[in-house]
Amino acid sequence: MNPVTTNDDGLSPGEGFTDPATLSLGPDTRIHLIGIGGSGMNGLAQLLIERHIPVSGSDLRGGMVCDVLTSMGATVHVGHAAKYVEGADIVVVSNAVPRTNVERQWAHDHGIPVILRADLLNLLMRGNRRILISGTHGKTTTTAMTTRILQAGGLDPSFAIGGALHAGGNSAHHGSSDVFVAEADEAFRSFIRLRGDCIVVTNIEMDHHDVFSDEAALHTAFKRFIEVSNPDGPLLICADDPGSATFGQMLRKETAYTIATYGTTDGVDVQITDISHTETGGSSFTITDHTGLLPEPISVTVAVPGRHNVLNATAALMAATWAGADWKTGAEGLTAFTGAARRFQYLGSAKGIRVVDDYGHHPTELEATVQAAKQANPDGRVVALFQPHRYSRTQAMGKALGVALADADLVIVTDIYAAGEAAVPGVTGALVADGVKEAGGNVRFLPDRSTLLDVVAGVVQPGDLLLTVGAGDVTEFGPQLLDHLDGR
């Protein structure tokens, strides 16, 4: 499937799109979303429904998410047909929907405005103080943490999160306050179409090789994202990550934005010290604010494991405080934060084997997830079941993906989840498996998905923590294994 694109600057609508600045949303505006069941699109549908805006949509697979939207009042069709668009005032597409899609083509032929998903999010955020969470990794978790902190502080923010919260949360909500928290995704340069008032940059690392030719192109995109934001708002930048640290130093030289850095290194504006592991697998740490906002250091505990989540929590506290949340109340709210869906999500246990599911599909994410698993299971093995995502990413990063996984006690690699990409000759999951071997890890490559359940059930043992990792349908395996082990 060929993705749609905007112009190279990421800002102008591009051929076949309507300028969203000419549009508005109201109770008589029917919005039709193509791919309504997708992780980003279904959250926007929820927001529209909560605002009493008529919603229709189509999805190739349907499923539970579409059933929920139907129960909320949306009209959802399984499959695509031109007739589904009839009567719509605005049609919304993701970057995965080609111009040849029958619904998009019908809208274009009949003069119905077509906009990108990011454009709809920008329309929904109008009139709010907008906290945008950007970065190659950690966006969903940091957005979810920021939302929880604001809620703990008595605020009712609107939010759009890339994954649902574990404990009683949708992926989106229309709140009563004037604060809106959302992810700002760099894929397809989508975040350049959003305007933030407070921006977090968790990290910047090369990814999306089908969009960015090199790191310079990626940094240019992040700079454009900053340039269209509110110049009076703060930029909260992680100093521990080399990419975002370099980016922050460049911004300080070239712009007049208010920048606050955070991390464990010396010289940052908000410093993290005294990191320790809790008995339940989380982390405790101390935050000292050198900007003067905090009168004294504050102690924080997070239930989710990993040093990366210490950084995510610090960024979330800074952003929520900017919006009016109390630091102490916010820190207390983080104590009960159990994470976002598919971000180190505990699925259950059977026969002494715990299963955790994670969305990680980039080397840095995989390394952090494996280390978090070892922290959470110090007395047992970590078995990682990894499904590579996209041929382009595997071709560019296959060995690095394997190296990142190699610290697990056993790595099982499946073949590639294509995500709509055409196969590339010679590019298979074996590239990842070879990377594990070269790094000295223990690995098995299982390209035949039909054998996976029996093989994994045969190698796991009591005391193991099994990670199912990847951005594809590997997420379905954990529940299947638990049922299999329980004899269901």
Side-chain angles (χ1 to χ4, degrees):
M1 179 181 291
N2 295 320
V4 297
T5 58
T6 56
N7 288 349
D8 289 341
D9 63 3
L11 290 169
S12 49
E15 182 184 359
F17 293 99
T18 299
D19 186 348
T22 64
L23 303 174
S24 60
L25 303 176
D28 297 323
T29 309
R30 182 187 143 203
I31 311 296
H32 182 83
L33 300 96
I34 303 177
I36 195 170
S39 60
M41 203 73 88
N42 80 79
L44 299 184
Q46 293 176 45
L47 283 164
L48 290 166
I49 293 168
E50 289 186 29
R51 292 189 181 190
H52 307 291
I53 296 173
V55 173
S56 66
S58 59
D59 192 81
L60 280 177
R61 298 181 64 180
M64 184 174 64
V65 169
C66 292
D67 292 341
V68 170
L69 292 175
T70 299
S71 70
M72 293 177 68
T75 300
V76 180
H77 308 278
V78 177
H80 298 305
K83 62 182 179 181
Y84 300 154
V85 188
E86 294 178 10
D89 297 294
I90 299 173
V91 170
V92 185
V93 301
S94 73
N95 292 90
V97 178
R99 177 71 177 270
T100 54
N101 175 276
V102 63
E103 295 178 21
R104 185 182 171 200
Q105 187 62 55
W106 195 92
H108 176 75
D109 293 343
H110 290 80
I112 300 175
V114 178
I115 61 174
L116 285 164
R117 183 176 61 193
D119 295 325
L120 175 59
L121 176 58
N122 217 29
L123 288 171
L124 288 165
M125 290 194 297
R126 279 181 181 172
N128 290 279
R129 292 184 294 151
R130 297 152 294 192
I131 299 174
L132 297 182
I133 312 296
S134 70
T136 309
H137 325 292
K139 291 185 292 293
T140 295
T141 298
T142 307
T143 305
M145 284 179 168
T146 306
T147 299
R148 280 295 193 225
I149 294 167
L150 291 166
Q151 291 171 336
L155 296 174
D156 180 25
S158 297
F159 58 85
I161 303 172
L165 304 180
H166 286 187
N170 293 323
S171 61
H173 168 64
H174 172 56
S176 58
S177 74
D178 68 341
V179 181
F180 199 122
V181 190
E183 290 187 36
D185 192 358
E186 77 278 9
F188 301 103
R189 300 181 176 86
S190 298
F191 61 175
I192 299 176
R193 308 180 73 78
L194 306 176
R195 188 174 190 270
D197 297 300
C198 171
I199 290 176
V200 172
V201 182
T202 60
N203 41 63
I204 301 178
E205 190 171 4
M206 188 62 191
D207 196 5
H208 306 293
H209 295 79
D210 54 335
V211 177
F212 301 108
S213 57
D214 51 31
E215 288 188 2
L218 179 62
H219 276 253
T220 297
F222 268 89
K223 186 177 180 183
R224 294 304 307 273
F225 168 55
I226 299 302
E227 289 172 345
V228 298
S229 69
N230 181 353
D232 297 324
L235 303 179
L236 312 179
I237 299 178
C238 180
D240 280 15
D241 173 71
S244 56
T246 300
F247 182 69
Q249 292 166 2
M250 179 270 293
L251 285 179
R252 275 189 158 140
K253 292 178 181 179
E254 298 181 6
T255 70
Y257 281 91
T258 302
I259 297 173
T261 56
Y262 64 93
T264 61
T265 57
D266 292 334
V268 294
D269 298 305
V270 178
Q271 189 169 29
I272 303 164
T273 56
D274 304 324
I275 300 174
S276 61
H277 302 329
T278 65
E279 292 182 358
T280 56
S283 299
S284 293
F285 54 100
T286 300
I287 296 176
T288 303
D289 177 20
H290 298 295
T291 68
L293 183 64
L294 279 180
E296 58 187 23
I298 183 172
S299 297
V300 182
T301 298
V302 291
V304 286
R307 180 178 175 277
H308 59 296
N309 279 320
V310 171
L311 293 167
N312 293 338
T314 302
L317 280 165
M318 293 168 68
T321 301
W322 168 83
D326 176 72
W327 276 82
K328 184 176 181 180
T329 305
E332 291 171 353
L334 272 180
T335 303
F337 177 79
T338 56
R342 299 223 61 213
R343 273 66 179 181
F344 210 84
Q345 180 180 0
Y346 174 67
L347 299 182
S349 65
K351 294 186 176 179
I353 299 155
R354 291 188 292 161
V355 179
V356 171
D357 187 42
D358 194 88
Y359 186 70
H361 52 281
H362 182 282
T364 300
E365 296 166 349
L366 297 180
E367 182 177 3
T369 300
V370 169
Q371 294 308 314
K374 292 171 76 70
Q375 176 183 328
N377 198 44
D379 299 322
R381 296 193 311 168
V382 172
V383 178
L385 169 62
F386 176 64
Q387 180 188 53
H389 184 255
R390 292 185 179 273
Y391 289 96
S392 58
R393 181 178 284 114
T394 307
Q395 185 176 34
M397 296 181 167
K399 181 179 178 179
L401 290 165
V403 171
L405 290 161
D407 209 22
D409 296 282
L410 171 63
V411 181
I412 299 170
V413 180
T414 74
D415 220 338
I416 297 168
Y417 183 83
E421 286 188 343
V424 177
V427 177
T428 71
L431 294 175
V432 180
D434 290 344
V436 179
K437 289 179 184 177
E438 291 183 28
N442 182 19
V443 65
R444 293 185 65 173
F445 176 47
L446 293 178
D448 184 358
R449 186 69 176 268
S450 67
T451 67
L452 197 58
L453 188 60
D454 288 336
V455 170
V456 175
V459 298
V460 291
Q461 57 194 38
D464 284 353
L465 188 154
L466 173 69
L467 286 172
T468 57
V469 198
D473 59 8
V474 68
T475 187
E476 299 170 359
F477 183 81
Q480 293 170 0
L481 178 67
L482 290 170
D483 287 345
H484 180 78
L485 293 174
D486 277 335
R488 285 178 279 182

